[in-house]
Amino acid sequence: MFYQVLKYILLGPLLRLVFRPRIEGLEHVPEEGAAIIAGNHLSFADHFVMPAIVPRRVTFLAKAEYFTGPGLKGRLTAAFFRGVGQIPVDRSGGHASQAAIASGLAVLRKGRLLGIYPEGTRSHDGRLYKGRTGVASMALRAGVPVIPCAMIGTFEAQPTGRRLPRAMRITIRFGAPLEFSRYAGLVDERTALRAVTDEIMYAILKLSGQEYVDMYAGEAKAAAQARAHGRRGQGSAS
């Protein structure tokens, strides 16, 4: 009920007013049955804009930090994400990654749409980064198609660190479903998982037109922060 109220009465109309989204390729999203929508991740707004325009409900794997924030703001944020059906995911790797995959598979086994950002975190500079193989593992284990999706303009509307988005037009572009039946039986092969993930990322790249960087977004972000810290340190020393 809360999801429907947000989508059709409260949040959905507001997002359409602020972003005036141009939708391309929506016919590629299946009207029924399980599928994964895999998209680039440029802004906090991505969590809401794309699900608002897809007729079916999209369940996202959301980082666990959204559910564990302190104080009243943290509780409200957690309640909001739970209310719209998002699933908390621990991104620390190892067993946590396997738990995230299990959560995603549970959604797919119910015949639902699962939304995922293969980059694992938001791009800090608007470029597209190397995908993590969890999306491939879920696609092969569940035997479902992957619909590539590109958010265009959300980075400019609400880059990392900006609290409120700018009112501007964005584009949401869906590509033809990708199917990977030729990899059946290879779900535990790292080379197969990497090949599937790279194919998904290439499809997103063609849709988005972003510059591609062959490293993980989290590593690139950490390196950029280290360089910025080093420059500040040099400045204070001089």
Side-chain angles (χ1 to χ4, degrees), residues 17 29 37 39 88 91 101 110 114 128 165 177 188 194 202 217 222 230:
L17 179 65
V29 179
I37 299 179
R91 301 183 299 173
I101 290 173
K110 295 176 182 178
L114 176 70
L128 183 70
D188 294 319
R194 174 46 57 193
Y202 182 65

Side-chain angles (χ1 to χ4, degrees), residues 40-43 119 121-129 155 159-160 210 217 221:
N40 59 342
H41 195 13
L42 297 169
S43 168
E119 292 169 277
T121 188
R122 278 177 283 174
S123 171
H124 69 287
D125 58 7
R127 296 187 292 178
L128 183 70
Y129 285 88
F155 180 79
T160 301
Q210 293 168 268
K221 188 182 299 185

Side-chain angles (χ1 to χ4, degrees), residues 82-93:
R82 290 193 183 94
V84 297
Q86 308 305 284
I87 299 174
V89 172
D90 185 340
R91 301 183 299 173
S92 59

Side-chain angles (χ1 to χ4, degrees), residues 170-231:
I170 66 169
T171 297
I172 306 172
R173 186 174 293 152
F174 298 94
L178 306 172
E179 67 90 29
F180 300 102
S181 59
R182 63 192 183 279
Y183 290 99
L186 298 177
V187 69
D188 294 319
E189 297 291 334
R190 293 179 62 86
T191 53
L193 294 178
R194 174 46 57 193
V196 169
T197 303
D198 288 347
E199 185 174 337
I200 294 169
M201 299 310 295
Y202 182 65
I204 295 172
L205 178 65
K206 288 197 296 183
L207 292 171
S208 70
Q210 293 168 268
E211 178 185 347
Y212 179 74
V213 182
D214 191 27
M215 67 184 302
Y216 293 120
E219 296 172 357
K221 188 182 299 185
Q225 291 172 344
R227 289 194 297 270
H229 181 74
R231 287 194 294 269

